[in-house]
Amino acid sequence: MSSRREETVLTALREVVGKSHVLTEPDMVAGYVRDWTGRWTGHCAAVVRPGSVAEVQDVVTICREAGVAVVPQGGNTGLVGGSVPHHGEVVLSLRRLDRLEPIDPASRSVTVGAGVTIGALQEHARAAGLAYGVHLASRDSATVGGTIATNAGGTHVVSNGDTRRQVLGLEVVMADGTRLSRLDRMPKESLGPDLLHLMIGSEGSLGVITSARLRLLPGEGGQAMVILLALQTLSEGLDFLGPDVRALEFFDGACLDAVIDHRGLARPLPVAPFYLLIESGGRPSIADNAVAVVDGSLWAYRESITEVINGLGVPVKLDVAVPVDRVDEFADAVKHLGLEGDIYLFGHLAEGNFHVNVVGNRDPEAVVDRVLELVVGLGGVIASEHGVGVAKADWWRRTTELSLLAFHRRVKEALDPDRIMNPAVFWGD
Ligand code: FAD
Ligand code: MLT
Ligand code: ZN
């Protein structure tokens, strides 16, 4: 953008959202242009913080008319580089859209702004004796809009499903500034496809999610039992899947060592190749000779892993899944790829979802290629819950079936013909 055009756009944006909500100073925008892991740092003309849907519409319209691309941003906890501006885009922060409407107990649902954090939503639901089904360690920053845009998974997918399963209705601002709303859907409707569901998992590339109506679950009655077990192989852990299981999480010995060293936690179990954390509504049957401990605070071992690894250096993070009957094969093969650096494996066992984290590697692209080749060879998926972003955009285009890719392209061209919505994700523009 020429500096004159940039000044004109900034003036128009200030008129819409107010001067104090258009940030341009380097120290003010720093936290918005760098991703959570520190692997990607971009730059932007401005961070704009609208306080209403009408302001979002005006901001998008101003940017489109000026030919300036926009990166919608929630909590900026995304792990695939999709939430930061890579080519000077305007960052559209949705955090001020943080309205929590009263819960409707009859339909067990609630309408909330896109900027509400998952933690605040869970608290709101809990106060009404209900629960929101998506559980993430990033809950205090990750937003409703961001989790819908990435179709976030988390630790309770085995019992509650992913974010897509919680969405009852959406309000969206499209790339041309139009507001579309399906927040007031009846519990039962047969009115054709709900086209706004295209926004789920679209990572800001089709429009801006401004509000959502979400399904709530009955409050988790009774105390859940949390058990930590030592495993020799991951597939042993799959034997614990059962109707009462709410979460089935694993991590390897390297993760546990790092958490013990950096969080000052006691070693809960003897050294083993893998550990399994089970959260269950009833007592799962565990052999008497199994090495196990039972205690709700065990979640700290699992939920500290991401932050502890980040403290060890900028990690190359890969979120992938393989068919569950191939988890042992994958875990073994990934450790024998000869990757430079320290490898940490953890994830969501019930879905075959691995987080492969490599610290101390000087060639992230090579790590991505080697691990994803392995995943594809085993019939897995290259992005299981974090999205495609920029981290896997090349691989997404390379591995998506051509007819499906053509369909994606037609949708993008129809909804965002000027390519102003987060152009770097998926398409690498
Ligand atoms: P951002 O990071 O701000 O954005 C993510 C993407 O969504 C970007 O492409 C952005 O453009 C788009 N976007 C954001 N808001 C909107 C909007 N309103 N409209 C349109 N597009 C939008 N993820 C999991 O799936 N499971 C986990 O268990 C999990 N655990 C995590 C633990 C930690 C400690 C951390 C740091 C991250 C974890 N994540 C996990 C990743 C991250 O929290 C999720 O991807 C989350 O969904 C991102 O939400 P956000 O509000 O931070 O979105
Ligand atoms: C997790 O399961 O803890 C998250 O997806 C975060 C990560 O991959 O680091
Ligand atoms: Zn995860």
Side-chain angles (χ1 to χ4, degrees), residues 79 302 306 317 346 348 355 385-386:
L79 298 173
R302 169 63 182 88
T306 302
K317 294 179 84 73
F346 61 103
H348 315 284
H355 299 312
E385 59 168 8
H386 296 165

Side-chain angles (χ1 to χ4, degrees), residues 225 227 244 280-286 294:
M225 181 170 273
I227 299 169
D244 291 332
S280 177
R283 191 180 171 83
S285 55
I286 296 171
V294 182

Side-chain angles (χ1 to χ4, degrees), residues 100-427:
L100 287 158
E101 291 194 8
I103 286 168
D104 175 8
S107 63
R108 261 202 234 127
S109 69
V110 65
T111 297
V112 299
V116 166
T117 64
I118 298 303
L121 170 59
Q122 281 170 341
E123 202 41 57
H124 188 51
R126 203 173 296 130
L130 297 170
Y132 182 60
V134 176
H135 295 251
L136 317 163
S138 52
R139 65 182 77 81
D140 292 333
S141 303
T143 61
V144 164
T147 52
I148 294 173
T150 56
N151 187 28
T155 51
H156 286 57
V157 171
V158 62
S159 47
N160 301 339
D162 56 12
T163 297
R164 186 186 308 279
R165 296 277 304 278
Q166 324 304 323
V167 177
L168 299 176
L170 289 174
E171 176 190 66
V172 175
V173 171
M174 306 304 290
D176 65 358
T178 320
R179 169 186 167 272
L180 299 176
S181 176
R182 296 295 289 122
L183 290 172
D184 55 354
R185 290 174 70 233
M186 299 288 287
K188 255 189 113 190
E189 277 191 2
S190 184
L191 288 171
D194 186 341
L195 296 176
L196 293 193
H197 269 54
L198 277 175
M199 297 298 151
I200 305 173
S202 66
E203 300 184 37
S205 69
L206 298 180
V208 185
I209 298 158
T210 47
S211 201
R213 181 148 151 242
L214 299 165
R215 170 173 89 111
L216 299 176
L217 304 170
E220 278 143 10
Q223 214 34 45
M225 181 170 273
V226 182
I227 299 169
L228 191 69
L229 283 167
L231 297 179
Q232 291 305 309
T233 63
L234 284 177
S235 55
E236 291 163 35
L238 291 165
D239 293 341
F240 295 99
L241 268 177
D244 291 332
V245 168
R246 297 180 189 171
L248 196 70
E249 299 284 305
F250 78 92
F251 43 92
D252 69 2
C255 291
L256 182 62
D257 289 349
V259 167
I260 289 171
D261 284 356
H262 296 273
R263 283 289 154 94
L265 295 174
R267 179 169 288 283
L269 289 169
V271 172
F274 296 102
Y275 301 89
L276 181 74
L277 184 147
I278 310 172
E279 183 181 298
S280 177
R283 191 180 171 83
S285 55
I286 296 171
D288 290 343
N289 60 352
V291 188
V293 280
V294 182
D295 178 357
S297 66
L298 291 166
W299 269 111
Y301 291 93
R302 169 63 182 88
E303 291 205 321
S304 303
I305 295 172
T306 302
E307 284 203 21
V308 164
I309 290 175
N310 236 47
L312 301 175
V314 176
V316 185
K317 294 179 84 73
L318 284 152
D319 153 54
V320 298
V322 295
V324 284
D325 58 353
R326 307 197 81 166
V327 291
D328 290 337
E329 208 178 327
F330 179 74
D332 189 51
V334 87
K335 293 209 167 168
H336 290 96
L337 283 175
L339 301 174
E340 178 193 30
D342 299 323
I343 302 177
Y344 300 84
L345 294 183
F346 61 103
H348 315 284
L349 186 60
E351 294 87 41
N353 184 179
F354 282 78
H355 299 312
V356 180
N357 283 221
V358 184
V359 179
N361 185 286
R362 286 165 296 180
D363 189 357
E365 293 311 320
V367 175
V368 172
D369 288 346
R370 300 295 303 280
V371 175
L372 297 190
E373 269 160 24
L374 182 61
V375 168
V376 170
L378 291 174
V381 289
I382 63 163
S384 184
E385 59 168 8
H386 296 165
V388 169
V390 296
K392 294 172 180 166
D394 288 347
W395 269 86
W396 177 77
R397 291 196 300 276
R398 234 192 288 166
T399 55
T400 301
E401 206 180 303
L402 284 181
S403 52
L404 208 49
L405 202 57
F407 177 60
H408 272 279
R409 191 169 279 124
R410 286 207 301 275
V411 171
K412 174 75 174 169
E413 281 164 7
L415 300 185
D416 181 23
D418 303 312
R419 301 186 88 77
I420 62 148
M421 294 305 311
N422 209 354
V425 300
F426 299 108
W427 304 104

